[in-house]
PDB file of all heavy atoms in Angstrom:
ATOM      1  N   LEU A   1      -6.090  18.665  -4.191  1.00  0.00           N
ATOM      2  CA  LEU A   1      -5.596  20.016  -4.421  1.00  0.00           C
ATOM      3  C   LEU A   1      -5.809  20.894  -3.202  1.00  0.00           C
ATOM      4  O   LEU A   1      -6.838  20.797  -2.532  1.00  0.00           O
ATOM      5  CB  LEU A   1      -6.295  20.661  -5.628  1.00  0.00           C
ATOM      6  CG  LEU A   1      -6.239  19.917  -6.959  1.00  0.00           C
ATOM      7  CD1 LEU A   1      -6.954  20.729  -8.035  1.00  0.00           C
ATOM      8  CD2 LEU A   1      -4.807  19.618  -7.387  1.00  0.00           C
ATOM      9  N   THR A   2      -4.831  21.751  -2.932  1.00  0.00           N
ATOM     10  CA  THR A   2      -5.017  22.762  -1.899  1.00  0.00           C
ATOM     11  C   THR A   2      -5.940  23.858  -2.426  1.00  0.00           C
ATOM     12  O   THR A   2      -6.293  23.891  -3.612  1.00  0.00           O
ATOM     13  CB  THR A   2      -3.677  23.390  -1.509  1.00  0.00           C
ATOM     14  OG1 THR A   2      -3.169  24.127  -2.634  1.00  0.00           O
ATOM     15  CG2 THR A   2      -2.659  22.341  -1.095  1.00  0.00           C
ATOM     16  N   LYS A   3      -6.303  24.774  -1.538  1.00  0.00           N
ATOM     17  CA  LYS A   3      -7.134  25.901  -1.954  1.00  0.00           C
ATOM     18  C   LYS A   3      -6.463  26.674  -3.081  1.00  0.00           C
ATOM     19  O   LYS A   3      -7.095  27.002  -4.096  1.00  0.00           O
ATOM     20  CB  LYS A   3      -7.394  26.821  -0.764  1.00  0.00           C
ATOM     21  CG  LYS A   3      -7.964  28.175  -1.150  1.00  0.00           C
ATOM     22  CD  LYS A   3      -7.939  29.149   0.012  1.00  0.00           C
ATOM     23  CE  LYS A   3      -8.224  30.579  -0.454  1.00  0.00           C
ATOM     24  NZ  LYS A   3      -8.137  31.551   0.654  1.00  0.00           N
ATOM     25  N   THR A   4      -5.180  26.997  -2.911  1.00  0.00           N
ATOM     26  CA  THR A   4      -4.506  27.813  -3.927  1.00  0.00           C
ATOM     27  C   THR A   4      -4.322  27.032  -5.225  1.00  0.00           C
ATOM     28  O   THR A   4      -4.411  27.607  -6.309  1.00  0.00           O
ATOM     29  CB  THR A   4      -3.152  28.309  -3.406  1.00  0.00           C
ATOM     30  OG1 THR A   4      -2.375  27.205  -2.941  1.00  0.00           O
ATOM     31  CG2 THR A   4      -3.335  29.296  -2.271  1.00  0.00           C
ATOM     32  N   GLN A   5      -4.071  25.727  -5.134  1.00  0.00           N
ATOM     33  CA  GLN A   5      -3.950  24.921  -6.346  1.00  0.00           C
ATOM     34  C   GLN A   5      -5.292  24.793  -7.054  1.00  0.00           C
ATOM     35  O   GLN A   5      -5.349  24.725  -8.288  1.00  0.00           O
ATOM     36  CB  GLN A   5      -3.372  23.548  -5.996  1.00  0.00           C
ATOM     37  CG  GLN A   5      -1.912  23.611  -5.562  1.00  0.00           C
ATOM     38  CD  GLN A   5      -1.444  22.348  -4.876  1.00  0.00           C
ATOM     39  OE1 GLN A   5      -2.227  21.427  -4.613  1.00  0.00           O
ATOM     40  NE2 GLN A   5      -0.155  22.274  -4.573  1.00  0.00           N
ATOM     41  N   SER A   6      -6.375  24.778  -6.295  1.00  0.00           N
ATOM     42  CA  SER A   6      -7.710  24.774  -6.899  1.00  0.00           C
ATOM     43  C   SER A   6      -7.951  26.073  -7.656  1.00  0.00           C
ATOM     44  O   SER A   6      -8.520  26.070  -8.760  1.00  0.00           O
ATOM     45  CB  SER A   6      -8.774  24.588  -5.813  1.00  0.00           C
ATOM     46  OG  SER A   6      -8.687  23.307  -5.222  1.00  0.00           O
ATOM     47  N   GLN A   7      -7.542  27.184  -7.074  1.00  0.00           N
ATOM     48  CA  GLN A   7      -7.638  28.457  -7.781  1.00  0.00           C
ATOM     49  C   GLN A   7      -6.834  28.422  -9.073  1.00  0.00           C
ATOM     50  O   GLN A   7      -7.276  28.945 -10.108  1.00  0.00           O
ATOM     51  CB  GLN A   7      -7.128  29.591  -6.891  1.00  0.00           C
ATOM     52  CG  GLN A   7      -8.032  29.940  -5.733  1.00  0.00           C
ATOM     53  CD  GLN A   7      -7.449  31.028  -4.861  1.00  0.00           C
ATOM     54  OE1 GLN A   7      -6.236  31.232  -4.813  1.00  0.00           O
ATOM     55  NE2 GLN A   7      -8.315  31.750  -4.163  1.00  0.00           N
ATOM     56  N   THR A   8      -5.682  27.767  -9.022  1.00  0.00           N
ATOM     57  CA  THR A   8      -4.836  27.693 -10.210  1.00  0.00           C
ATOM     58  C   THR A   8      -5.503  26.899 -11.314  1.00  0.00           C
ATOM     59  O   THR A   8      -5.489  27.306 -12.482  1.00  0.00           O
ATOM     60  CB  THR A   8      -3.476  27.069  -9.854  1.00  0.00           C
ATOM     61  OG1 THR A   8      -2.796  27.930  -8.942  1.00  0.00           O
ATOM     62  CG2 THR A   8      -2.617  26.872 -11.090  1.00  0.00           C
ATOM     63  N   GLN A   9      -6.102  25.746 -10.979  1.00  0.00           N
ATOM     64  CA  GLN A   9      -6.794  25.000 -12.029  1.00  0.00           C
ATOM     65  C   GLN A   9      -7.915  25.826 -12.631  1.00  0.00           C
ATOM     66  O   GLN A   9      -8.067  25.891 -13.862  1.00  0.00           O
ATOM     67  CB  GLN A   9      -7.349  23.668 -11.522  1.00  0.00           C
ATOM     68  CG  GLN A   9      -7.854  22.832 -12.706  1.00  0.00           C
ATOM     69  CD  GLN A   9      -8.616  21.596 -12.334  1.00  0.00           C
ATOM     70  OE1 GLN A   9      -9.144  21.459 -11.222  1.00  0.00           O
ATOM     71  NE2 GLN A   9      -8.713  20.658 -13.271  1.00  0.00           N
ATOM     72  N   MET A  10      -8.704  26.484 -11.795  1.00  0.00           N
ATOM     73  CA  MET A  10      -9.805  27.310 -12.299  1.00  0.00           C
ATOM     74  C   MET A  10      -9.268  28.427 -13.186  1.00  0.00           C
ATOM     75  O   MET A  10      -9.825  28.707 -14.263  1.00  0.00           O
ATOM     76  CB  MET A  10     -10.581  27.891 -11.121  1.00  0.00           C
ATOM     77  CG  MET A  10     -11.853  28.622 -11.515  1.00  0.00           C
ATOM     78  SD  MET A  10     -13.147  27.504 -12.077  1.00  0.00           S
ATOM     79  CE  MET A  10     -14.472  28.666 -12.411  1.00  0.00           C
ATOM     80  N   ALA A  11      -8.190  29.056 -12.754  1.00  0.00           N
ATOM     81  CA  ALA A  11      -7.607  30.162 -13.523  1.00  0.00           C
ATOM     82  C   ALA A  11      -7.104  29.696 -14.880  1.00  0.00           C
ATOM     83  O   ALA A  11      -7.398  30.313 -15.912  1.00  0.00           O
ATOM     84  CB  ALA A  11      -6.474  30.810 -12.731  1.00  0.00           C
ATOM     85  N   MET A  12      -6.358  28.597 -14.906  1.00  0.00           N
ATOM     86  CA  MET A  12      -5.759  28.165 -16.170  1.00  0.00           C
ATOM     87  C   MET A  12      -6.823  27.668 -17.145  1.00  0.00           C
ATOM     88  O   MET A  12      -6.745  27.934 -18.342  1.00  0.00           O
ATOM     89  CB  MET A  12      -4.709  27.079 -15.909  1.00  0.00           C
ATOM     90  CG  MET A  12      -3.504  27.568 -15.105  1.00  0.00           C
ATOM     91  SD  MET A  12      -2.776  29.108 -15.712  1.00  0.00           S
ATOM     92  CE  MET A  12      -2.418  28.684 -17.415  1.00  0.00           C
ATOM     93  N   TRP A  13      -7.809  26.937 -16.636  1.00  0.00           N
ATOM     94  CA  TRP A  13      -8.883  26.468 -17.533  1.00  0.00           C
ATOM     95  C   TRP A  13      -9.644  27.673 -18.120  1.00  0.00           C
ATOM     96  O   TRP A  13     -10.031  27.665 -19.279  1.00  0.00           O
ATOM     97  CB  TRP A  13      -9.818  25.548 -16.778  1.00  0.00           C
ATOM     98  CG  TRP A  13      -9.507  24.076 -16.813  1.00  0.00           C
ATOM     99  CD1 TRP A  13     -10.381  23.094 -17.162  1.00  0.00           C
ATOM    100  CD2 TRP A  13      -8.278  23.399 -16.485  1.00  0.00           C
ATOM    101  NE1 TRP A  13      -9.784  21.847 -17.054  1.00  0.00           N
ATOM    102  CE2 TRP A  13      -8.489  22.011 -16.648  1.00  0.00           C
ATOM    103  CE3 TRP A  13      -7.014  23.826 -16.070  1.00  0.00           C
ATOM    104  CZ2 TRP A  13      -7.493  21.059 -16.416  1.00  0.00           C
ATOM    105  CZ3 TRP A  13      -6.022  22.887 -15.825  1.00  0.00           C
ATOM    106  CH2 TRP A  13      -6.256  21.527 -15.999  1.00  0.00           C
ATOM    107  N   ALA A  14      -9.802  28.718 -17.302  1.00  0.00           N
ATOM    108  CA  ALA A  14     -10.451  29.932 -17.798  1.00  0.00           C
ATOM    109  C   ALA A  14      -9.569  30.645 -18.815  1.00  0.00           C
ATOM    110  O   ALA A  14     -10.063  31.152 -19.835  1.00  0.00           O
ATOM    111  CB  ALA A  14     -10.785  30.866 -16.641  1.00  0.00           C
ATOM    112  N   MET A  15      -8.283  30.695 -18.569  1.00  0.00           N
ATOM    113  CA  MET A  15      -7.361  31.358 -19.483  1.00  0.00           C
ATOM    114  C   MET A  15      -7.345  30.688 -20.854  1.00  0.00           C
ATOM    115  O   MET A  15      -7.211  31.341 -21.883  1.00  0.00           O
ATOM    116  CB  MET A  15      -5.956  31.380 -18.891  1.00  0.00           C
ATOM    117  CG  MET A  15      -5.784  32.269 -17.667  1.00  0.00           C
ATOM    118  SD  MET A  15      -5.906  34.037 -18.041  1.00  0.00           S
ATOM    119  CE  MET A  15      -4.341  34.319 -18.874  1.00  0.00           C
ATOM    120  N   TRP A  16      -7.489  29.373 -20.869  1.00  0.00           N
ATOM    121  CA  TRP A  16      -7.477  28.642 -22.138  1.00  0.00           C
ATOM    122  C   TRP A  16      -8.839  28.631 -22.832  1.00  0.00           C
ATOM    123  O   TRP A  16      -8.973  28.022 -23.904  1.00  0.00           O
ATOM    124  CB  TRP A  16      -7.056  27.188 -21.898  1.00  0.00           C
ATOM    125  CG  TRP A  16      -5.661  27.016 -21.384  1.00  0.00           C
ATOM    126  CD1 TRP A  16      -4.568  27.775 -21.686  1.00  0.00           C
ATOM    127  CD2 TRP A  16      -5.204  26.009 -20.473  1.00  0.00           C
ATOM    128  NE1 TRP A  16      -3.465  27.302 -21.012  1.00  0.00           N
ATOM    129  CE2 TRP A  16      -3.818  26.228 -20.266  1.00  0.00           C
ATOM    130  CE3 TRP A  16      -5.825  24.955 -19.810  1.00  0.00           C
ATOM    131  CZ2 TRP A  16      -3.053  25.421 -19.427  1.00  0.00           C
ATOM    132  CZ3 TRP A  16      -5.072  24.150 -18.982  1.00  0.00           C
ATOM    133  CH2 TRP A  16      -3.700  24.377 -18.797  1.00  0.00           C
ATOM    134  N   SER A  17      -9.858  29.227 -22.250  1.00  0.00           N
ATOM    135  CA  SER A  17     -11.232  29.105 -22.764  1.00  0.00           C
ATOM    136  C   SER A  17     -11.642  27.643 -22.856  1.00  0.00           C
ATOM    137  O   SER A  17     -12.268  27.194 -23.819  1.00  0.00           O
ATOM    138  CB  SER A  17     -11.359  29.770 -24.145  1.00  0.00           C
ATOM    139  OG  SER A  17     -11.055  31.140 -24.084  1.00  0.00           O
ATOM    140  N   SER A  18     -11.303  26.884 -21.828  1.00  0.00           N
ATOM    141  CA  SER A  18     -11.598  25.456 -21.809  1.00  0.00           C
ATOM    142  C   SER A  18     -13.020  25.191 -21.329  1.00  0.00           C
ATOM    143  O   SER A  18     -13.578  25.982 -20.563  1.00  0.00           O
ATOM    144  CB  SER A  18     -10.637  24.732 -20.859  1.00  0.00           C
ATOM    145  OG  SER A  18      -9.303  24.899 -21.253  1.00  0.00           O
ATOM    146  N   PRO A  19     -13.599  24.058 -21.724  1.00  0.00           N
ATOM    147  CA  PRO A  19     -14.848  23.637 -21.099  1.00  0.00           C
ATOM    148  C   PRO A  19     -14.661  23.527 -19.585  1.00  0.00           C
ATOM    149  O   PRO A  19     -13.617  23.073 -19.111  1.00  0.00           O
ATOM    150  CB  PRO A  19     -15.112  22.264 -21.734  1.00  0.00           C
ATOM    151  CG  PRO A  19     -14.421  22.345 -23.070  1.00  0.00           C
ATOM    152  CD  PRO A  19     -13.182  23.155 -22.813  1.00  0.00           C
ATOM    153  N   LEU A  20     -15.660  23.930 -18.828  1.00  0.00           N
ATOM    154  CA  LEU A  20     -15.615  23.864 -17.368  1.00  0.00           C
ATOM    155  C   LEU A  20     -16.617  22.815 -16.892  1.00  0.00           C
ATOM    156  O   LEU A  20     -17.786  23.115 -16.658  1.00  0.00           O
ATOM    157  CB  LEU A  20     -15.938  25.227 -16.743  1.00  0.00           C
ATOM    158  CG  LEU A  20     -15.011  26.394 -17.101  1.00  0.00           C
ATOM    159  CD1 LEU A  20     -15.459  27.666 -16.382  1.00  0.00           C
ATOM    160  CD2 LEU A  20     -13.555  26.067 -16.770  1.00  0.00           C
ATOM    161  N   TYR A  21     -16.144  21.577 -16.798  1.00  0.00           N
ATOM    162  CA  TYR A  21     -16.967  20.491 -16.289  1.00  0.00           C
ATOM    163  C   TYR A  21     -16.439  20.075 -14.923  1.00  0.00           C
ATOM    164  O   TYR A  21     -15.356  19.497 -14.812  1.00  0.00           O
ATOM    165  CB  TYR A  21     -16.942  19.287 -17.226  1.00  0.00           C
ATOM    166  CG  TYR A  21     -17.821  19.428 -18.447  1.00  0.00           C
ATOM    167  CD1 TYR A  21     -17.277  19.637 -19.720  1.00  0.00           C
ATOM    168  CD2 TYR A  21     -19.198  19.332 -18.331  1.00  0.00           C
ATOM    169  CE1 TYR A  21     -18.084  19.762 -20.824  1.00  0.00           C
ATOM    170  CE2 TYR A  21     -20.028  19.449 -19.449  1.00  0.00           C
ATOM    171  CZ  TYR A  21     -19.454  19.669 -20.695  1.00  0.00           C
ATOM    172  OH  TYR A  21     -20.265  19.789 -21.787  1.00  0.00           O
ATOM    173  N   MET A  22     -17.180  20.385 -13.881  1.00  0.00           N
ATOM    174  CA  MET A  22     -16.816  19.940 -12.540  1.00  0.00           C
ATOM    175  C   MET A  22     -16.998  18.432 -12.438  1.00  0.00           C
ATOM    176  O   MET A  22     -17.878  17.852 -13.070  1.00  0.00           O
ATOM    177  CB  MET A  22     -17.704  20.606 -11.496  1.00  0.00           C
ATOM    178  CG  MET A  22     -17.734  22.106 -11.529  1.00  0.00           C
ATOM    179  SD  MET A  22     -18.909  22.790 -10.309  1.00  0.00           S
ATOM    180  CE  MET A  22     -20.495  22.369 -11.078  1.00  0.00           C
ATOM    181  N   SER A  23     -16.164  17.787 -11.602  1.00  0.00           N
ATOM    182  CA  SER A  23     -16.387  16.396 -11.240  1.00  0.00           C
ATOM    183  C   SER A  23     -16.116  16.281  -9.747  1.00  0.00           C
ATOM    184  O   SER A  23     -14.978  16.091  -9.318  1.00  0.00           O
ATOM    185  CB  SER A  23     -15.490  15.452 -12.040  1.00  0.00           C
ATOM    186  OG  SER A  23     -15.878  14.108 -11.834  1.00  0.00           O
ATOM    187  N   ASN A  24     -17.165  16.441  -8.951  1.00  0.00           N
ATOM    188  CA  ASN A  24     -17.027  16.514  -7.501  1.00  0.00           C
ATOM    189  C   ASN A  24     -18.353  16.122  -6.861  1.00  0.00           C
ATOM    190  O   ASN A  24     -19.327  15.817  -7.548  1.00  0.00           O
ATOM    191  CB  ASN A  24     -16.603  17.930  -7.071  1.00  0.00           C
ATOM    192  CG  ASN A  24     -17.485  19.018  -7.691  1.00  0.00           C
ATOM    193  OD1 ASN A  24     -18.623  18.763  -8.108  1.00  0.00           O
ATOM    194  ND2 ASN A  24     -16.978  20.228  -7.783  1.00  0.00           N
ATOM    195  N   ASP A  25     -18.363  16.118  -5.527  1.00  0.00           N
ATOM    196  CA  ASP A  25     -19.586  15.821  -4.793  1.00  0.00           C
ATOM    197  C   ASP A  25     -20.245  17.143  -4.424  1.00  0.00           C
ATOM    198  O   ASP A  25     -19.880  17.771  -3.430  1.00  0.00           O
ATOM    199  CB  ASP A  25     -19.255  15.004  -3.545  1.00  0.00           C
ATOM    200  CG  ASP A  25     -20.497  14.632  -2.739  1.00  0.00           C
ATOM    201  OD1 ASP A  25     -21.609  15.034  -3.139  1.00  0.00           O
ATOM    202  OD2 ASP A  25     -20.343  13.958  -1.712  1.00  0.00           O
ATOM    203  N   LEU A  26     -21.200  17.553  -5.204  1.00  0.00           N
ATOM    204  CA  LEU A  26     -21.840  18.853  -4.972  1.00  0.00           C
ATOM    205  C   LEU A  26     -22.623  18.888  -3.665  1.00  0.00           C
ATOM    206  O   LEU A  26     -22.859  19.966  -3.121  1.00  0.00           O
ATOM    207  CB  LEU A  26     -22.771  19.193  -6.143  1.00  0.00           C
ATOM    208  CG  LEU A  26     -22.106  19.546  -7.469  1.00  0.00           C
ATOM    209  CD1 LEU A  26     -23.170  19.808  -8.527  1.00  0.00           C
ATOM    210  CD2 LEU A  26     -21.189  20.749  -7.338  1.00  0.00           C
ATOM    211  N   SER A  27     -22.986  17.730  -3.153  1.00  0.00           N
ATOM    212  CA  SER A  27     -23.762  17.705  -1.909  1.00  0.00           C
ATOM    213  C   SER A  27     -22.886  17.938  -0.681  1.00  0.00           C
ATOM    214  O   SER A  27     -23.402  18.212   0.409  1.00  0.00           O
ATOM    215  CB  SER A  27     -24.502  16.377  -1.763  1.00  0.00           C
ATOM    216  OG  SER A  27     -23.597  15.297  -1.625  1.00  0.00           O
ATOM    217  N   ASN A  28     -21.572  17.806  -0.833  1.00  0.00           N
ATOM    218  CA  ASN A  28     -20.653  18.032   0.280  1.00  0.00           C
ATOM    219  C   ASN A  28     -19.532  18.992  -0.111  1.00  0.00           C
ATOM    220  O   ASN A  28     -18.394  18.843   0.332  1.00  0.00           O
ATOM    221  CB  ASN A  28     -20.050  16.702   0.752  1.00  0.00           C
ATOM    222  CG  ASN A  28     -21.060  15.839   1.478  1.00  0.00           C
ATOM    223  OD1 ASN A  28     -21.531  16.200   2.548  1.00  0.00           O
ATOM    224  ND2 ASN A  28     -21.415  14.707   0.874  1.00  0.00           N
ATOM    225  N   LEU A  29     -19.857  19.961  -0.925  1.00  0.00           N
ATOM    226  CA  LEU A  29     -18.846  20.906  -1.406  1.00  0.00           C
ATOM    227  C   LEU A  29     -18.589  21.967  -0.343  1.00  0.00           C
ATOM    228  O   LEU A  29     -19.523  22.619   0.143  1.00  0.00           O
ATOM    229  CB  LEU A  29     -19.340  21.557  -2.699  1.00  0.00           C
ATOM    230  CG  LEU A  29     -18.329  22.368  -3.506  1.00  0.00           C
ATOM    231  CD1 LEU A  29     -17.223  21.460  -4.034  1.00  0.00           C
ATOM    232  CD2 LEU A  29     -19.026  23.074  -4.669  1.00  0.00           C
ATOM    233  N   ASP A  30     -17.320  22.133   0.028  1.00  0.00           N
ATOM    234  CA  ASP A  30     -16.997  23.143   1.029  1.00  0.00           C
ATOM    235  C   ASP A  30     -17.154  24.540   0.439  1.00  0.00           C
ATOM    236  O   ASP A  30     -17.098  24.739  -0.786  1.00  0.00           O
ATOM    237  CB  ASP A  30     -15.562  22.947   1.544  1.00  0.00           C
ATOM    238  CG  ASP A  30     -14.527  23.139   0.465  1.00  0.00           C
ATOM    239  OD1 ASP A  30     -14.297  22.195  -0.325  1.00  0.00           O
ATOM    240  OD2 ASP A  30     -13.947  24.240   0.383  1.00  0.00           O
ATOM    241  N   GLU A  31     -17.339  25.515   1.290  1.00  0.00           N
ATOM    242  CA  GLU A  31     -17.638  26.873   0.854  1.00  0.00           C
ATOM    243  C   GLU A  31     -16.498  27.487   0.054  1.00  0.00           C
ATOM    244  O   GLU A  31     -16.733  28.245  -0.892  1.00  0.00           O
ATOM    245  CB  GLU A  31     -17.979  27.757   2.056  1.00  0.00           C
ATOM    246  CG  GLU A  31     -19.370  27.508   2.614  1.00  0.00           C
ATOM    247  CD  GLU A  31     -20.473  27.710   1.580  1.00  0.00           C
ATOM    248  OE1 GLU A  31     -20.433  28.733   0.860  1.00  0.00           O
ATOM    249  OE2 GLU A  31     -21.365  26.853   1.493  1.00  0.00           O
ATOM    250  N   GLU A  32     -15.253  27.178   0.417  1.00  0.00           N
ATOM    251  CA  GLU A  32     -14.120  27.751  -0.311  1.00  0.00           C
ATOM    252  C   GLU A  32     -14.082  27.237  -1.751  1.00  0.00           C
ATOM    253  O   GLU A  32     -13.847  27.988  -2.696  1.00  0.00           O
ATOM    254  CB  GLU A  32     -12.806  27.423   0.393  1.00  0.00           C
ATOM    255  CG  GLU A  32     -11.617  28.227  -0.102  1.00  0.00           C
ATOM    256  CD  GLU A  32     -11.816  29.729   0.021  1.00  0.00           C
ATOM    257  OE1 GLU A  32     -12.043  30.213   1.143  1.00  0.00           O
ATOM    258  OE2 GLU A  32     -11.744  30.416  -1.027  1.00  0.00           O
ATOM    259  N   SER A  33     -14.330  25.932  -1.933  1.00  0.00           N
ATOM    260  CA  SER A  33     -14.360  25.369  -3.281  1.00  0.00           C
ATOM    261  C   SER A  33     -15.517  25.939  -4.089  1.00  0.00           C
ATOM    262  O   SER A  33     -15.377  26.254  -5.275  1.00  0.00           O
ATOM    263  CB  SER A  33     -14.471  23.840  -3.215  1.00  0.00           C
ATOM    264  OG  SER A  33     -13.326  23.271  -2.621  1.00  0.00           O
ATOM    265  N   LYS A  34     -16.674  26.068  -3.442  1.00  0.00           N
ATOM    266  CA  LYS A  34     -17.830  26.653  -4.119  1.00  0.00           C
ATOM    267  C   LYS A  34     -17.521  28.085  -4.561  1.00  0.00           C
ATOM    268  O   LYS A  34     -17.877  28.494  -5.675  1.00  0.00           O
ATOM    269  CB  LYS A  34     -19.035  26.625  -3.186  1.00  0.00           C
ATOM    270  CG  LYS A  34     -20.308  27.192  -3.808  1.00  0.00           C
ATOM    271  CD  LYS A  34     -21.478  27.107  -2.828  1.00  0.00           C
ATOM    272  CE  LYS A  34     -22.736  27.730  -3.421  1.00  0.00           C
ATOM    273  NZ  LYS A  34     -23.884  27.675  -2.477  1.00  0.00           N
ATOM    274  N   LYS A  35     -16.853  28.833  -3.716  1.00  0.00           N
ATOM    275  CA  LYS A  35     -16.501  30.216  -4.052  1.00  0.00           C
ATOM    276  C   LYS A  35     -15.589  30.268  -5.273  1.00  0.00           C
ATOM    277  O   LYS A  35     -15.743  31.133  -6.148  1.00  0.00           O
ATOM    278  CB  LYS A  35     -15.823  30.873  -2.845  1.00  0.00           C
ATOM    279  CG  LYS A  35     -15.447  32.337  -3.051  1.00  0.00           C
ATOM    280  CD  LYS A  35     -14.811  32.905  -1.793  1.00  0.00           C
ATOM    281  CE  LYS A  35     -14.402  34.365  -1.991  1.00  0.00           C
ATOM    282  NZ  LYS A  35     -13.744  34.917  -0.765  1.00  0.00           N
ATOM    283  N   ILE A  36     -14.642  29.345  -5.350  1.00  0.00           N
ATOM    284  CA  ILE A  36     -13.738  29.304  -6.505  1.00  0.00           C
ATOM    285  C   ILE A  36     -14.515  28.967  -7.778  1.00  0.00           C
ATOM    286  O   ILE A  36     -14.366  29.621  -8.809  1.00  0.00           O
ATOM    287  CB  ILE A  36     -12.614  28.276  -6.262  1.00  0.00           C
ATOM    288  CG1 ILE A  36     -11.698  28.737  -5.123  1.00  0.00           C
ATOM    289  CG2 ILE A  36     -11.792  28.060  -7.540  1.00  0.00           C
ATOM    290  CD1 ILE A  36     -10.737  27.674  -4.630  1.00  0.00           C
ATOM    291  N   LEU A  37     -15.346  27.939  -7.707  1.00  0.00           N
ATOM    292  CA  LEU A  37     -16.089  27.488  -8.882  1.00  0.00           C
ATOM    293  C   LEU A  37     -17.138  28.505  -9.338  1.00  0.00           C
ATOM    294  O   LEU A  37     -17.505  28.533 -10.512  1.00  0.00           O
ATOM    295  CB  LEU A  37     -16.774  26.157  -8.578  1.00  0.00           C
ATOM    296  CG  LEU A  37     -15.830  24.957  -8.438  1.00  0.00           C
ATOM    297  CD1 LEU A  37     -16.525  23.810  -7.739  1.00  0.00           C
ATOM    298  CD2 LEU A  37     -15.309  24.525  -9.799  1.00  0.00           C
ATOM    299  N   GLN A  38     -17.598  29.344  -8.408  1.00  0.00           N
ATOM    300  CA  GLN A  38     -18.629  30.323  -8.741  1.00  0.00           C
ATOM    301  C   GLN A  38     -18.076  31.740  -8.873  1.00  0.00           C
ATOM    302  O   GLN A  38     -18.848  32.701  -8.858  1.00  0.00           O
ATOM    303  CB  GLN A  38     -19.736  30.285  -7.683  1.00  0.00           C
ATOM    304  CG  GLN A  38     -20.512  28.988  -7.678  1.00  0.00           C
ATOM    305  CD  GLN A  38     -21.786  29.059  -6.863  1.00  0.00           C
ATOM    306  OE1 GLN A  38     -22.034  29.994  -6.106  1.00  0.00           O
ATOM    307  NE2 GLN A  38     -22.644  28.054  -7.018  1.00  0.00           N
ATOM    308  N   ASN A  39     -16.783  31.858  -9.058  1.00  0.00           N
ATOM    309  CA  ASN A  39     -16.170  33.179  -9.213  1.00  0.00           C
ATOM    310  C   ASN A  39     -16.612  33.787 -10.549  1.00  0.00           C
ATOM    311  O   ASN A  39     -16.186  33.365 -11.625  1.00  0.00           O
ATOM    312  CB  ASN A  39     -14.650  33.050  -9.163  1.00  0.00           C
ATOM    313  CG  ASN A  39     -13.945  34.382  -9.143  1.00  0.00           C
ATOM    314  OD1 ASN A  39     -14.226  35.272  -9.947  1.00  0.00           O
ATOM    315  ND2 ASN A  39     -12.997  34.541  -8.230  1.00  0.00           N
ATOM    316  N   LYS A  40     -17.478  34.778 -10.475  1.00  0.00           N
ATOM    317  CA  LYS A  40     -18.076  35.345 -11.684  1.00  0.00           C
ATOM    318  C   LYS A  40     -17.045  36.001 -12.595  1.00  0.00           C
ATOM    319  O   LYS A  40     -17.169  35.942 -13.825  1.00  0.00           O
ATOM    320  CB  LYS A  40     -19.157  36.361 -11.305  1.00  0.00           C
ATOM    321  CG  LYS A  40     -20.371  35.752 -10.616  1.00  0.00           C
ATOM    322  CD  LYS A  40     -21.400  36.814 -10.260  1.00  0.00           C
ATOM    323  CE  LYS A  40     -22.605  36.202  -9.564  1.00  0.00           C
ATOM    324  NZ  LYS A  40     -23.622  37.232  -9.202  1.00  0.00           N
ATOM    325  N   LYS A  41     -16.051  36.633 -12.011  1.00  0.00           N
ATOM    326  CA  LYS A  41     -15.054  37.316 -12.833  1.00  0.00           C
ATOM    327  C   LYS A  41     -14.195  36.315 -13.597  1.00  0.00           C
ATOM    328  O   LYS A  41     -13.849  36.537 -14.769  1.00  0.00           O
ATOM    329  CB  LYS A  41     -14.188  38.212 -11.953  1.00  0.00           C
ATOM    330  CG  LYS A  41     -14.924  39.406 -11.372  1.00  0.00           C
ATOM    331  CD  LYS A  41     -13.986  40.274 -10.545  1.00  0.00           C
ATOM    332  CE  LYS A  41     -14.707  41.495  -9.991  1.00  0.00           C
ATOM    333  NZ  LYS A  41     -13.794  42.367  -9.189  1.00  0.00           N
ATOM    334  N   VAL A  42     -13.839  35.195 -12.959  1.00  0.00           N
ATOM    335  CA  VAL A  42     -13.046  34.167 -13.645  1.00  0.00           C
ATOM    336  C   VAL A  42     -13.894  33.486 -14.712  1.00  0.00           C
ATOM    337  O   VAL A  42     -13.415  33.214 -15.824  1.00  0.00           O
ATOM    338  CB  VAL A  42     -12.492  33.157 -12.630  1.00  0.00           C
ATOM    339  CG1 VAL A  42     -11.729  32.047 -13.350  1.00  0.00           C
ATOM    340  CG2 VAL A  42     -11.571  33.853 -11.628  1.00  0.00           C
TER     341      VAL A  42
END
């Protein structure tokens, strides 16, 4: 996923009140992805 497509997945899962289970390598997570996943407002 691109940065904007990652934002889209986060947005839609939030809109549906879906469970938010990440499946990624947290030890090598880039800052942009971390920012999306930790967006407090979303």
Side-chain angles (χ1 to χ4, degrees):
L1 305 181
T2 66
K3 166 192 168 183
T4 53
Q5 291 165 354
S6 294
Q7 289 178 336
T8 296
Q9 189 189 21
M10 187 71 179
M12 295 311 304
W13 269 232
M15 292 291 287
W16 296 326
S17 299
S18 300
L20 300 181
Y21 282 107
M22 305 176 288
S23 190
N24 50 22
D25 181 359
L26 289 178
S27 65
N28 288 294
L29 192 65
D30 64 279
E31 284 302 314
E32 193 58 58
S33 295
K34 181 179 177 181
K35 182 179 179 181
I36 293 168
L37 290 163
Q38 294 193 348
N39 187 311
K40 294 180 180 180
K41 292 182 178 181
V42 177

